[in-house]
């Protein structure tokens, strides 16, 4: 028999072989709960892997929400296509027991991330810091394209006079 079920999720983005939703459920996180309780051994390792997968999944969803490239142009290829389909679905889905692959787990993770204000959240803090860094690196590119667009509008306006 074959093991590892046919997951529709992109390779390397929180794929679980124990069911479509199991890796992505996000319990409400309170400061001082579990994470800093000490001890743990192998359990700590699996928790770290779980946290990393959730971080990567958040960043993957963010990419898919913003990516305007075709499947051929984007470096994530069909993974991005799947993510865009999922993102589009999530935006309109209100079903708490939705069967769409990764829908409910992604909604829970996104909801947590959106509301999370903990400065010690092992999932959200690194993601928010990464997003902040990438935003600081991008304004120059955006400013250049905004300036170009304004210049084009001004030229069109002047041409009409």
């Amino acid at each position: 028999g074959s093991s590892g079920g046919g997951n529709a999720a992109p390779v390397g983005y929180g794929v679980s072989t124990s069911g479509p939703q199991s890796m992505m459920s996000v319990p409400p996180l309170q400061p001082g709960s579990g994470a800093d309780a000490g001890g743990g051994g192998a359990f700590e390792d699996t928790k770290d892997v779980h946290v990393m997968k959730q971080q990567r999944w958040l960043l993957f969803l963010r990419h898919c929400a913003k990516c305007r490239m075709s499947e051929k142009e984007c470096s994530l290829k069909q993974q991005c296509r799947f993510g865009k389909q999922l993102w589009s679905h999530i935006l309109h889905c209100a079903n708490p027991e939705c069967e769409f692959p990764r829908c409910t787990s992604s909604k829970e993770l996104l909801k947590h991330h959106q509301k999370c204000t903990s400065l010690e959240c092992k999932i959200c803090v690194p993601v928010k810091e990464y997003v902040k860094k990438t935003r600081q690196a991008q304004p120059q590119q955006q400013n250049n394209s905004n300036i170009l667009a304004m210049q084009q509008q001004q030229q069109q306006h002047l041409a009409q006079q």
Side-chain angles (χ1 to χ4, degrees), residues 58-161:
L58 277 170
L59 291 171
F60 171 69
L61 289 173
R62 183 174 188 273
H63 164 87
C64 296
K66 293 177 169 289
C67 181
R68 298 290 170 256
M69 293 183 200
S70 73
E71 186 178 334
K72 289 179 183 174
E73 297 169 314
C74 180
S75 61
L76 297 178
K77 306 283 182 212
Q78 70 235 62
Q79 295 172 342
C80 184
R81 182 186 52 174
F82 166 81
K84 286 176 180 176
Q85 290 168 349
L86 173 61
W87 184 257
S88 170
H89 171 84
I90 287 172
L91 292 178
H92 305 288
C93 180
N95 180 358
E97 282 122 41
C98 182
E99 296 291 320
F100 193 93
R102 297 244 175 270
C103 174
T104 54
S105 56
S106 295
K107 283 192 296 192
E108 289 171 17
L109 182 61
L110 287 164
K111 198 179 298 177
H112 165 81
H113 181 69
Q114 208 170 22
K115 293 180 178 181
C116 182
T117 56
S118 169
L119 299 176
E120 294 171 21
C121 179
K122 291 186 175 194
I123 296 168
C124 297
V125 170
V127 170
K128 288 177 181 178
E129 285 174 1
Y130 175 82
V131 168
K132 196 176 184 180
K133 281 180 193 169
T134 56
R135 277 198 185 134
Q136 288 168 350
Q138 288 175 344
Q140 190 57 46
Q141 295 169 353
Q142 290 172 344
N143 284 344
N144 290 346
S145 62
N146 288 346
I147 290 168
L148 188 62
M150 286 188 335
Q151 287 173 338
Q152 288 172 342
Q153 286 176 342
Q154 287 173 338
Q155 287 171 349
Q156 289 172 352
H157 181 72
L158 291 173
Q160 291 170 357
Q161 290 179 350

Side-chain angles (χ1 to χ4, degrees), residues 27-36 112 118 120:
L29 298 172
Q30 284 103 26
S33 68
D36 18 303
H112 165 81
S118 169
E120 294 171 21

